[in-house]
Amino acid sequence: MSDGVLNGAAELFDGMGVEYEHAFARLPEQHAALEWLTARLPEGARVLDIGSGTGRPVAETLVAAGYEVTGIDVSPVMVELARSQVPGARFDEVDVREFQAPSGSFDAVCAFFPLLLMGQEEVGAMLERIADWLAPGGYFVMATVPGDLRDEEVEWMGRMVVVSSYSTEEYLRRIRQLGLEVVHWSTSTFHPDSESAGPEDHLFCYARRPGGPPVV
């Protein structure tokens, strides 16, 4: 790894704090995804928020909708911020690759950008685990920066980080291969509200595990 490249998500987000929240607060596709999800889940649904960050807007929105929310993040700084800002949710400091939950534990899993900071093989393994965590009829809502990227060093918000991803087509293929129905997907370009961040290409995908009540 080159000098100056941050070593993992914990170091990256410990140094950001609320800077990340402010830069992405106006991300319209994320708000649309949350609106879509909350229109379908019943009150009391169990939701896992992977890479929960400061708790805003994801966990905060889900708690307000009456859900039982568990947020996980590898950054202790982010976890403490989330606990103070969204006291109605539970936040645990844990790497999602080490997180354990029984099959079918959650009615929905949200993963807004946390998979970027893993290797490609790890991303594939995480998609398998997420699919297993979903209860029948459960929803998986995710976002990432698409591209055939394998451990590439990039500058992001003034910091050098190592990222991996799949192309849009490969993400959709893998999600479907796991038995999930892709209900919606879209790509767009977003300009973070930060002088240190340039425009980003985003993929948003909503998927559903078969079974349970009919799709609304």
Side-chain angles (χ1 to χ4, degrees):
M1 187 175 294
S2 302
D3 291 343
V5 179
L6 295 176
N7 185 22
E11 183 179 358
L12 172 64
F13 287 102
D14 278 352
M16 280 192 172
V18 295
E19 178 185 353
Y20 178 81
E21 176 186 321
H22 295 160
F24 287 82
R26 296 182 298 101
L27 179 51
E29 288 80 10
Q30 185 175 47
H31 291 283
L34 292 171
E35 182 178 352
W36 181 90
L37 184 61
T38 55
R40 285 158 176 80
L41 290 175
E43 186 173 355
R46 303 155 299 168
V47 184
L48 177 65
D49 180 16
I50 300 173
S52 48
T54 68
R56 294 174 175 167
V58 181
E60 184 176 62
T61 300
L62 297 172
V63 166
Y67 305 144
E68 181 183 319
V69 180
T70 299
I72 59 173
D73 202 293
V74 73
S75 164
V77 171
M78 288 294 195
V79 169
E80 287 306 311
L81 280 169
R83 287 171 177 167
S84 66
Q85 296 191 140
V86 191
R90 170 181 173 175
F91 295 97
D92 294 325
E93 181 190 331
V94 61
D95 190 316
V96 66
R97 291 167 290 193
E98 300 172 1
F99 179 73
Q100 300 294 324
S103 179
S105 293
F106 298 101
D107 300 300
V109 175
C110 297
F112 293 108
F113 304 104
L115 304 183
L116 271 171
L117 298 175
M118 304 179 185
Q120 269 195 350
E121 292 77 11
E122 292 176 313
V123 174
M126 278 311 313
L127 290 175
E128 291 183 20
R129 297 184 69 204
I130 289 168
D132 181 64
W133 291 335
L134 288 175
Y139 295 98
F140 174 41
V141 180
M142 65 154 290
T144 193
V145 176
D148 186 13
L149 308 173
R150 184 183 294 271
D151 298 328
E152 294 199 17
E153 294 182 9
V154 299
E155 183 176 352
W156 180 68
M157 294 188 66
R159 300 155 173 89
M160 295 302 298
V161 296
V162 177
V163 300
S164 297
S165 189
Y166 295 126
S167 67
T168 294
E169 294 75 18
E170 181 65 7
Y171 255 113
L172 298 177
R173 185 189 73 80
R174 285 176 176 265
I175 290 170
R176 290 178 174 127
Q177 190 176 50
L178 292 170
L180 303 183
E181 175 194 1
V182 174
V183 180
H184 166 83
W185 68 272
S186 64
T187 56
S188 56
T189 301
F190 177 67
H191 295 259
D193 191 9
S194 171
E195 294 182 357
S196 60
E200 299 180 358
D201 292 329
H202 289 169
L203 163 67
F204 277 78
C205 178
Y206 315 162
R208 181 179 183 270
R209 180 175 173 179
V215 178
V216 177

